[in-house]
Coordinates of all heavy atoms in Angstrom, one line a residue:
D1566 N -21.4 6.2 21.7 CA -20.6 5.6 22.8 C -20.7 4.1 22.6 O -21.7 3.5 22.9 CB -21.3 6.1 24.1 CG -20.6 5.5 25.3 OD1 -19.7 4.7 25.2 OD2 -21.1 5.8 26.4
I1567 N -19.5 3.5 22.3 CA -19.5 2.1 22.0 C -19.6 1.3 23.3 O -19.7 0.0 23.3 CB -18.3 1.6 21.2 CG1 -17.0 2.0 21.8 CG2 -18.4 2.2 19.8 CD1 -15.8 1.3 21.1
D1568 N -19.5 1.9 24.5 CA -19.7 1.2 25.7 C -21.1 1.0 26.2 O -21.4 0.3 27.1 CB -18.9 1.9 26.8 CG -17.4 1.9 26.6 OD1 -16.9 0.9 26.0 OD2 -16.7 2.9 26.9
L1569 N -22.0 1.6 25.4 CA -23.5 1.4 25.7 C -23.9 0.0 25.4 O -23.4 -0.7 24.5 CB -24.3 2.3 24.9 CG -24.2 3.9 25.3 CD1 -25.1 4.7 24.3 CD2 -24.7 4.1 26.7
A1570 N -24.9 -0.6 26.2 CA -25.5 -1.9 25.9 C -26.3 -1.7 24.6 O -26.8 -0.6 24.3 CB -26.4 -2.3 27.0
P1571 N -26.5 -2.8 23.8 CA -27.1 -2.7 22.5 C -28.4 -1.9 22.4 O -28.5 -1.0 21.6 CB -27.4 -4.2 22.1 CG -26.3 -4.9 22.8 CD -26.1 -4.2 24.1
P1572 N -29.4 -2.1 23.3 CA -30.7 -1.3 23.2 C -30.4 0.2 23.3 O -30.9 1.0 22.6 CB -31.6 -1.8 24.3 CG -31.0 -3.1 24.7 CD -29.5 -3.0 24.4
D1573 N -29.5 0.6 24.3 CA -29.2 2.0 24.4 C -28.4 2.5 23.3 O -28.5 3.7 22.9 CB -28.4 2.2 25.8 CG -29.2 1.8 27.0 OD1 -30.5 1.9 26.9 OD2 -28.7 1.5 28.0
F1574 N -27.5 1.7 22.8 CA -26.7 2.1 21.6 C -27.6 2.4 20.4 O -27.4 3.5 19.8 CB -25.7 1.0 21.2 CG -24.8 1.4 20.0 CD1 -23.7 2.2 20.2 CD2 -25.2 0.9 18.8 CE1 -22.9 2.5 19.1 CE2 -24.4 1.2 17.7 CZ -23.3 2.1 17.8
F1575 N -28.6 1.5 20.1 CA -29.5 1.8 19.0 C -30.4 3.0 19.3 O -30.7 3.7 18.3 CB -30.3 0.5 18.7 CG -29.6 -0.4 17.8 CD1 -28.9 -1.5 18.3 CD2 -29.5 -0.2 16.4 CE1 -28.2 -2.4 17.5 CE2 -28.8 -1.1 15.6 CZ -28.2 -2.2 16.2
D1576 N -30.8 3.2 20.5 CA -31.5 4.4 20.8 C -30.7 5.7 20.6 O -31.2 6.7 20.0 CB -31.9 4.4 22.3 CG -33.2 3.6 22.6 OD1 -33.9 3.3 21.6 OD2 -33.5 3.3 23.7
A1577 N -29.4 5.6 20.9 CA -28.5 6.8 20.7 C -28.3 7.0 19.2 O -28.3 8.1 18.7 CB -27.2 6.6 21.4
L1578 N -28.2 5.9 18.5 CA -28.0 6.0 17.0 C -29.3 6.6 16.4 O -29.2 7.5 15.5 CB -27.8 4.6 16.5 CG -27.6 4.5 14.9 CD1 -26.5 5.4 14.4 CD2 -27.4 3.0 14.5
V1592 N -35.6 -0.1 14.5 CA -35.1 -1.4 14.5 C -36.2 -2.4 14.5 O -37.0 -2.5 15.4 CB -34.2 -1.6 15.8 CG1 -33.7 -3.0 15.9 CG2 -33.2 -0.6 15.9
A1595 N -34.1 -7.5 15.9 CA -32.7 -7.4 16.4 C -32.4 -8.7 17.2 O -33.0 -9.1 18.1 CB -32.5 -6.3 17.4
D1596 N -31.4 -9.4 16.6 CA -30.9 -10.6 17.3 C -29.4 -10.3 17.7 O -28.5 -10.4 16.9 CB -30.9 -11.8 16.3 CG -30.3 -13.1 16.8 OD1 -29.6 -13.0 17.9 OD2 -30.5 -14.1 16.2
F1597 N -29.3 -9.8 18.9 CA -28.0 -9.4 19.4 C -27.0 -10.5 19.6 O -25.8 -10.3 19.5 CB -28.1 -8.6 20.7 CG -28.9 -7.3 20.6 CD1 -30.1 -7.1 21.2 CD2 -28.4 -6.3 19.8 CE1 -30.8 -6.0 21.1 CE2 -29.1 -5.1 19.6 CZ -30.3 -4.9 20.3
E1598 N -27.5 -11.7 19.8 CA -26.6 -12.9 20.0 C -25.9 -13.2 18.7 O -24.7 -13.4 18.7 CB -27.5 -14.0 20.5 CG -26.6 -15.0 21.3 CD -27.5 -16.1 21.9 OE1 -28.5 -15.6 22.6 OE2 -27.3 -17.3 21.7
L1600 N -26.1 -11.3 16.0 CA -25.8 -10.1 15.2 C -26.5 -10.0 13.9 O -25.8 -9.9 12.8 CB -24.3 -9.8 15.1 CG -23.6 -9.6 16.5 CD1 -22.1 -9.5 16.3 CD2 -24.1 -8.4 17.2
F1602 N -29.8 -8.2 12.1 CA -30.8 -7.1 12.3 C -31.6 -6.8 11.0 O -31.0 -6.9 9.9 CB -30.1 -5.8 12.7 CG -29.1 -5.9 13.9 CD1 -27.8 -6.2 13.7 CD2 -29.6 -5.9 15.2 CE1 -26.9 -6.3 14.8 CE2 -28.8 -6.0 16.2 CZ -27.4 -6.3 16.0
L1634 N -21.7 -0.4 12.9 CA -21.8 -1.7 13.6 C -20.4 -2.4 13.8 O -20.2 -3.1 14.7 CB -22.8 -2.6 13.0 CG -24.3 -2.1 13.2 CD1 -25.2 -3.0 12.5 CD2 -24.7 -1.9 14.6
Y1637 N -18.8 -0.7 16.6 CA -19.5 -1.0 17.9 C -19.1 -2.4 18.3 O -18.9 -2.7 19.5 CB -21.0 -0.8 17.7 CG -21.8 -1.2 18.9 CD1 -21.5 -0.6 20.2 CD2 -22.9 -2.0 18.9 CE1 -22.2 -0.9 21.3 CE2 -23.6 -2.3 20.0 CZ -23.3 -1.8 21.2 OH -24.0 -2.1 22.3
T1638 N -19.2 -3.4 17.4 CA -19.0 -4.8 17.8 C -17.7 -5.4 17.6 O -17.4 -6.5 18.1 CB -20.0 -5.7 17.0 OG1 -19.6 -5.6 15.6 CG2 -21.5 -5.2 17.1

Side-chain angles (χ1 to χ4, degrees):
D1566 177 1
I1567 59 169
D1568 294 328
L1569 291 176
D1573 296 334
F1574 179 81
F1575 276 99
D1576 277 348
L1578 175 59
V1592 180
D1596 175 349
F1597 294 117
E1598 205 171 310
L1600 298 176
F1602 307 96
L1634 292 178
Y1637 178 52
T1638 64

